[in-house]
């Protein structure tokens, strides 16, 4: 069963910066996907759905089997098959995508992959695609770890966008690594998973670097947004009015998306980006900026606000009064609110103070 690339939907000009890969042979491409979290679930689902009519089911693995079973129930056995072990994914798949929580988990999973490959060396091309947000040097370590195996290639491919864009397949994808592998992977991901690929060359550390730069920009913007909305509330103007102004004069998707979360106290991290992930990314960005002697005070301020918001949430959790099981990183506004004498997570309970001349 050969793959028919002519059936791939037409792409927007510039969506993929590579020519199409050569026509495949008779071997059907087996895809694997590890990590079905808030982002990974949607990406794996869309990837599986895009291949459902013509190719082998995507082999999925998640630490919690319930997530894999949920995906199977949603898209069906013709699109997804649940893997029992990481070894099965590493040995049976031609292209393996990973989207995981943090560097420690990534290292652990890839060491398991390496053990499996050492025991069953590949006899044909195999591509590992790491889509998590990791420190750049870890990508280099993983590349070295895998390259000792024959026919094995490694690509870093972190993604930009919240779960809502993962759901609709509109993510932006950074990519670095082996050129021929990137071509193959790019046309698997676009338009099924993302709308555009940004090529960072063959150095696998470059795409994770861009990811940290991008996330630093987002968290810095969120810090400014939080301070501005809190200023509006404390002045008596009201955060909703300030938010309406933002939509008129600075209508960026990020400001509109995160502004809506802040104004309406939508801090459920299980449906967004967990605050622990934001703190991890802030730590990575601050470490990299220090190594490069490039100060990023906006990220430093956002980091402090994230830590403060998490501390307040954990205090509520100890008291049994927390509203959410997981706190979203947009809740960094809690630090600005408390500093201004307002309620951290419930804006309806805030006390406005109107300046009198």
């Amino acid at each position: 069963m050969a793959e028919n690339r002519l059936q791939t939907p037409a792409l927007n000009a510039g969506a993929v910066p590579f020519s199409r890969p050569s026509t495949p042979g008779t071997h059907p491409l087996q895809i694997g996907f590890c990590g079905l979290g808030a982002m990974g679930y949607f990406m794996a689902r869309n990837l599986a759905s895009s291949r459902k009519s013509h190719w082998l089911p995507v082999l999925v693995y998640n630490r919690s089997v319930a997530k894999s079973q949920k995906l199977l129930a949603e898209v069906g056995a013709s699109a997804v098959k649940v893997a029992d072990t990481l070894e099965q994914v590493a040995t049976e798949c031609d292209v393996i995508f990973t989207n995981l929580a943090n560097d420690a988990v990534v290292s652990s999973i890839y060491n398991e992959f390496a053990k499996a490959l050492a025991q069953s060396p590949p006899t044909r091309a195999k591509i590992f695609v790491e889509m998590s947000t990791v420190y750049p040097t870890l990508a280099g370590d993983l590349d070295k770890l895998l390259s000792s195996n024959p026919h094995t290639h490694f690509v870093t491919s972190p993604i930009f966008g919240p779960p809502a864009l993962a759901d609709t397949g509109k993510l932006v994808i950074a990519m670095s690594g082996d050129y021929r592998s990137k071509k193959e992977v790019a046309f698997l991901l676009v338009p099924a998973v993302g709308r555009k690929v940004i090529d960072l060359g063959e150095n696998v550390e470059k795409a994770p670097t861009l990811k940290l730069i991008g996330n630093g920009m987002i968290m810095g913007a969120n810090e400014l947004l939080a301070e501005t909305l809190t200023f509006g509330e404390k002045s008596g103007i009201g955060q909703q009015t300030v938010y309406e102004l933002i939509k008129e004069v600075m209508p960026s998707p990020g400001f509109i998306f995160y502004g809506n979360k802040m104004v309406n106290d939508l801090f459920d991290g299980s449906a967004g980006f967990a605050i622990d992930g934001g703190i991890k990314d802030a730590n990575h960005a601050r470490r990299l900026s220090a190594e490069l002697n490039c100060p990023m005070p906006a990220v430093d301020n956002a980091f402090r606000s994230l830590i403060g918001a998490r501390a307040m949430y954990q205090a509520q959790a100890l008291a049994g009064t927390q509203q959410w099981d997981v706190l979203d990183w947009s809740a960094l506004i809690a630090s600005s609110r408390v500093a201004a004498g307002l309620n951290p997570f419930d804006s309806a309970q805030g006390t406005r103070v109107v300046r009198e001349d």
Side-chain angles (χ1 to χ4, degrees):
M1 179 176 61
E3 297 183 22
N4 184 358
R5 296 189 189 278
L6 295 179
Q7 296 183 20
T8 301
L11 303 179
N12 295 327
V16 177
F18 313 112
S19 61
R20 287 190 177 275
S22 58
T23 303
T26 57
H27 169 65
L29 199 63
Q30 177 65 69
I31 305 298
F33 201 105
C34 294
L36 303 179
M39 299 292 289
Y41 183 91
F42 292 127
M43 291 192 288
R45 184 202 63 190
N46 291 345
L47 184 61
S49 297
S50 73
R51 303 173 58 78
K52 187 173 183 178
S53 301
H54 314 294
W55 297 290
L56 295 174
V58 173
L59 190 63
V60 299
Y61 177 88
N62 193 68
R63 181 178 58 181
S64 169
V65 179
K67 286 281 190 74
S68 299
Q69 294 295 342
K70 178 184 176 183
L71 182 57
L72 175 62
E74 180 175 352
V75 300
S78 63
V80 158
K81 178 181 176 182
V82 178
D84 296 320
T85 64
L86 286 169
E87 179 183 8
Q88 182 184 0
V89 177
T91 56
E92 293 185 10
C93 296
D94 303 295
V95 181
I96 300 97
F97 295 94
T98 57
N99 185 251
L100 305 163
N102 55 54
D103 295 46
V105 176
V106 170
S107 294
S108 175
I109 295 295
Y110 273 84
N111 275 295
E112 290 296 316
F113 287 156
K115 290 178 184 178
L117 296 179
Q119 294 173 0
S120 300
T123 58
R124 58 175 180 258
K126 189 181 293 289
I127 307 170
F128 288 86
V129 186
E130 218 305 286
M131 306 184 79
S132 318
T133 303
V134 300
Y135 199 72
T137 53
L138 175 57
D141 293 339
L142 297 180
D143 192 26
K144 293 176 183 176
L145 178 68
L146 295 175
S147 62
S148 61
N149 298 285
H151 311 293
T152 304
H153 305 283
F154 180 65
V155 170
T156 47
S157 188
I159 41 84
F160 292 93
L165 290 185
D167 187 13
T168 57
K170 301 299 183 184
L171 298 167
V172 174
I173 304 164
M175 198 172 288
S176 57
D178 174 68
Y179 182 78
R180 293 172 68 103
S181 299
K182 288 186 298 185
K183 289 178 61 169
E184 187 73 40
V185 171
F187 282 94
L188 291 174
L189 294 178
V190 179
V193 172
R195 68 179 189 268
K196 181 180 179 63
V197 168
I198 301 173
D199 181 25
L200 277 298
E202 297 204 2
N203 182 342
V204 295
E205 296 187 14
K206 294 301 184 182
T209 298
L210 180 63
K211 174 62 174 172
L212 293 182
I213 293 170
N215 276 19
M217 174 187 68
I218 294 168
M219 68 181 72
N222 280 352
E223 171 66 18
L224 175 61
L225 184 61
E227 293 174 9
T228 301
L229 292 172
T230 301
F231 192 15
E233 189 70 9
K234 193 64 183 285
S235 70
I237 297 295
Q239 61 176 0
Q240 183 64 50
T241 300
V242 175
Y243 179 53
E244 295 301 323
L245 175 65
I246 290 169
K247 289 193 290 184
E248 292 298 327
V249 301
M250 297 186 70
S252 74
F255 272 10
I256 292 173
F257 178 78
Y258 285 112
N260 178 61
K261 281 178 170 282
M262 293 179 189
V263 167
N264 293 294
D265 302 328
L266 302 176
F267 302 138
D268 183 1
S270 65
F273 185 42
I275 198 166
D276 284 347
I279 291 171
K280 180 261 294 183
D281 291 356
N283 270 322
H284 281 347
R286 295 170 79 226
R287 174 185 168 189
L288 185 61
S289 70
E291 289 179 359
L292 297 176
N293 292 322
C294 183
M296 294 190 71
V299 174
D300 292 335
N301 289 337
F303 174 75
R304 286 192 290 270
S305 292
L306 289 166
I307 292 292
R310 187 175 66 177
M312 286 179 261
Y313 169 78
Q314 289 178 348
Q316 289 186 349
L318 287 173
T321 60
Q322 84 279 12
Q323 185 175 347
W324 309 277
D325 292 333
V326 179
L327 192 65
D328 189 82
W329 75 333
S330 60
L332 92 168
I333 193 176
S335 292
S336 292
R337 287 175 176 175
V338 167
L342 304 175
N343 186 283
F345 302 119
D346 187 350
S347 55
Q349 293 185 23
T351 301
R352 295 180 183 175
V353 179
V354 180
R355 180 173 176 267
E356 297 182 359
D357 293 322

